[in-house]
Amino acid sequence: MKRPVVWSRDALDELIGIVRYIAQNNPQAARRVAAAIRTTGNALGQRALGRKGRVTGTYEKVVTDLPYIIAYKFVADPAGGEALVILRIVHTARDWAAETWPDV
């Protein structure tokens, strides 16, 4: 089932922060990381294969070969059906207790 994918402001801000941080030392690597995160996130609209999330009502998908997790949820789509909203992008080294988001 194809669902629209919507990136939240928090997720976009985190993606920008990740890319800026990596680009300070390696702009080419920053572009590769950004592309991998975007590709993984957008692919969730086609096939959402994540695990149950640490925050109620969410799911998590690990970005293959990178230390990032995409947190997402499903919401009603105004056009009918459901949409997938990418909520956050979290580095796997961050402390992330149940029912909370890590500090930015």
Side-chain angles (χ1 to χ4, degrees):
M1 169 197 289
K2 178 72 171 152
R3 298 175 185 93
V5 174
V6 178
W7 291 73
S8 73
R9 182 78 258 158
D10 285 338
L12 291 172
D13 288 345
E14 288 163 347
L15 179 58
I16 290 166
I18 291 164
V19 171
R20 283 184 179 159
Y21 179 78
I22 296 169
Q24 291 174 8
N25 294 314
N26 191 334
Q28 188 174 14
R31 286 189 291 276
R32 284 193 308 266
V33 168
I37 292 171
R38 282 193 313 265
T39 298
T40 300
N42 290 331
L44 289 169
Q46 188 75 349
R47 198 166 171 191
L49 293 175
R51 64 180 182 235
K52 190 172 181 171
R54 285 165 253 203
V55 174
T56 300
T58 67
Y59 299 87
E60 299 173 11
K61 174 69 176 160
V62 175
V63 180
T64 304
D65 297 327
L66 290 175
Y68 296 100
I69 295 170
I70 296 174
Y72 62 95
K73 70 177 179 177
F74 298 101
V75 298
D77 183 358
E82 64 183 6
L84 185 142
V85 178
I86 296 177
L87 302 168
R88 304 291 297 264
I89 303 167
V90 181
H91 194 284
T92 57
R94 304 286 303 272
D95 277 339
W96 189 2
E99 300 304 328
T100 65
W101 297 113
D103 293 332
V104 177

